Amino acid sequence: MKLLLATIFTLTVIEFLQSGMLAFGATPVSGQINASPEEYSIVTAAYATVAITAIAKMRWFIERLGWRRFILLSIAFFITGASISALATSFPQFLLGRVVMGMGGAAFMTSARMLVNLIPPSPARIKGIVAFALGLSCGVSAAPWVVAQFVSADWWNGIFLLLGALALLAAVLAAIALPDEPLPEDSHTHAHFGPLLVMAGGSFLALFAVQRALYDFYSALPYLAALAAAGVAALAWFAWHQHAHERPLLRLRQLARRRYIAALAVFTVGYMVLGANNTMLPALVQRALGFPWHIAGTIQAIGMTASIAAFFLKLRIIRTAPSPQKFYVAGFGALALFGWLLSNLTMDANLWRHVLPAISLYGMFIVLILATTAIHGFTEFQDDPVAFFHAQQVKNMLAQFGSALGVAGANLLLQWRTAEHYAVLNRRFVNGDVEMGRQLEQLTAWFGSAQGPQAAAQLALSQLAQTLNQQAALLAQLEYFRLLVFVGLGLAALMAWQRTLSVPKPA
C-alpha cells in the first residue's frame, strides 16, 4: 500500500515538475540549443501532439501489457528522451528528445490517477487521492525553484538528469508495487490506428497554427486560419468516429453527460490559466521588474506552496461540508484577486510584499479548482472502470491541449501588447523631449562620476532604452493580469449560479 502511494506521488510529481520546469526555463533552454522562438514553439506543439496521442492509446496498451510492464515501458521511453534532451546541442536533437519524452511521460498523470482505483473502495482510497494531489502541489511548487537553480549554475542539462533520476525511482517503485496481469479480453478496446493518426495530425495542425500566430499573424493569417480549420475538422471527425463506433478507442458516447462535460470545461480553463501563468510570471519578475533568475524562481516556488496548505484546509472542510460550489467560487475568486494584485504593480514593486501574496493566491486557485473538479467531475463513472478510465484519458488530453493553448495565447498577448506599448513610449524617446532630456542629463551626471563624458552619455542612453523596454513589458503584463480579474470574477459568478457541479454525488 505504501509503495503504491509512493508510486502515485512520484509519477504525479514528475509530470508537473517537467511541465513547470520546461515552461519556466524556456528562454535559457532555447538559447542553449540555439533554437529560435519559432523553433521552440514547434517543440511545444510536437510534445503536446505526442502527449495527446499517447494518452488516447494508453488503455489499449495496459489491456495487453498490464500495469507494471506499461509503466516500466513508459518510463524507459521517458528516460531515453530525457537523456537525448540533456545531451542535445541543436534544435533537431532537442525536438527528438522531447518527442520521445512525450511518448513515455504523457501518460504519467493519467496513470497516477488510475492507480488510485487499484485501492479497493474504502477510506484507504482517500490516501491515494491525497498522494495524487500532493504530487501535483509539490511538482508545481518545486518546478520554478529547481529550474532557477540549474540555470543560475549554468547547468540547464540538470533539468533532464533530475527528471531521469525521478523516473528511475518511479520504475523501482512500480516494479514492486504494481500488478502485471493484462486486463480481461472482454474489456479490450480496438486499435483504431487510422483515426488515431487523424487525431494526431489534427492536434498538431491546430497547435502549430496557434504557435505560429506569434510570428506570422499579420503576414500569413489566411494560411494559419486554414491550418487551424483543418486541425479542428480532423479532431471533430475523430470525435464523431469514436461517438458512432461500436467498439471505440474512447467511449465518447457514454461520456456525454452534463456533469462530466462541465468538469471538462473547468479543467480546460484551469490548464489554460496554468500554461499562461507559467509564461507570464517569470516574464513579469525577470523581464519587467528586472530580478535575476534565482530570485524569480525562489519567489514563485515559495508562493506556490500555498497550494499544499489550501489542499489540507480543503480536506478538513470537505468532511463536514462536502458541496464543491464554495470551493469553485473561492478558487476563481482567488484567481481574480491574484490578477488584481499583480495588475497594480509598478517598476519599484517589492517581491515579498507585492508579488509573493499574489502568487500564493494563484497556488490556492490551482488546488481549489483542479482538485475539486478531479473529485467531483467523474463520479457518474465510478461503477464502470472502463468509462472512468476513458473519462480520465479525455480530460488529460484536453489538459495537454489547454496548457499548450495557454502558453501560446500568453506569448501572443505579450508580444502584441508589448509592441503596442513600446511604440507609444518610443514616441517620447526623441531629441527635444523635455522629460527625456531631464532623465538623460541626470543619468549622464550619475555615470560621469566613474566614466568619461562620452562613455557616460552612452551608458545613460542605454539605461533609458532598457527602462523603456521594461516599461513596455510591464504595461503589457498588467493588461494580462487585469484580464484575469474579469475572467476570475465572471467564472466565480457562473459557479455560484450553476447547479451541475454544485451537489456532490457519492463516490
Side-chain angles (χ1 to χ4, degrees), residues 311-364:
F311 175 71
F312 282 108
L313 178 62
K314 172 181 164 57
L315 282 182
R316 291 180 63 88
I317 295 173
I318 204 171
R319 293 172 184 170
T320 55
S323 175
Q325 189 169 21
K326 56 184 172 295
F327 298 119
Y328 284 123
V329 175
F332 285 117
L335 178 66
L337 188 53
F338 159 77
W340 180 78
L341 289 174
L342 293 185
S343 68
N344 290 292
L345 293 180
T346 60
M347 293 287 291
D348 57 352
N350 182 282
L351 287 182
W352 298 97
R353 292 200 308 269
H354 302 130
V355 178
L356 182 61
I359 295 177
S360 298
L361 288 165
Y362 171 50
M364 294 170 59

Side-chain angles (χ1 to χ4, degrees), residues 36-46 208 211-212 214-215:
S36 65
E38 294 92 332
E39 290 174 329
Y40 199 84
S41 70
I42 295 176
V43 174
T44 304
F208 179 75
Q211 297 284 347
R212 290 299 306 178
L214 300 174
Y215 316 103

Side-chain angles (χ1 to χ4, degrees), residues 243-427:
H243 188 274
H245 204 280
E246 291 299 320
R247 295 285 298 275
L249 182 68
L250 298 168
R251 294 185 184 178
L252 299 186
R253 187 191 312 168
Q254 189 176 351
L255 300 183
R257 310 280 185 91
R258 285 183 60 193
R259 187 182 187 88
Y260 176 66
I261 292 173
L264 287 183
V266 173
F267 262 120
T268 303
V269 169
Y271 278 99
M272 286 179 68
V273 171
L274 188 63
N277 282 345
N278 278 343
T279 299
M280 283 295 191
L281 282 175
L284 172 70
V285 177
Q286 297 158 33
R287 182 178 173 186
L289 300 181
F291 289 93
W293 264 94
H294 67 281
I295 296 296
T298 300
I299 286 291
Q300 188 167 332
I302 293 174
M304 293 300 288
T305 57
S307 63
I308 301 175
F311 175 71
F312 282 108
L313 178 62
K314 172 181 164 57
L315 282 182
R316 291 180 63 88
I317 295 173
I318 204 171
R319 293 172 184 170
T320 55
S323 175
Q325 189 169 21
K326 56 184 172 295
F327 298 119
Y328 284 123
V329 175
F332 285 117
L335 178 66
L337 188 53
F338 159 77
W340 180 78
L341 289 174
L342 293 185
S343 68
N344 290 292
L345 293 180
T346 60
M347 293 287 291
D348 57 352
N350 182 282
L351 287 182
W352 298 97
R353 292 200 308 269
H354 302 130
V355 178
L356 182 61
I359 295 177
S360 298
L361 288 165
Y362 171 50
M364 294 170 59
F365 157 78
I366 290 175
V367 163
L368 291 175
I369 297 302
L370 297 186
T372 300
T373 310
I375 293 173
H376 296 286
F378 305 91
T379 51
E380 293 174 304
F381 311 116
Q382 288 285 2
D383 296 330
D384 188 336
V386 177
F388 187 86
F389 201 123
H390 288 179
Q392 291 291 333
Q393 287 174 269
V394 172
K395 182 265 288 186
N396 289 325
M397 290 163 66
L398 283 176
Q400 293 287 341
F401 204 87
S403 181
L405 284 179
V407 171
N411 279 317
L412 181 59
L413 179 65
L414 186 59
Q415 180 185 12
W416 167 43
R417 298 309 300 162
T418 299
E420 292 287 334
H421 287 297
Y422 184 85
V424 172
L425 293 172
N426 197 45
R427 293 170 190 166

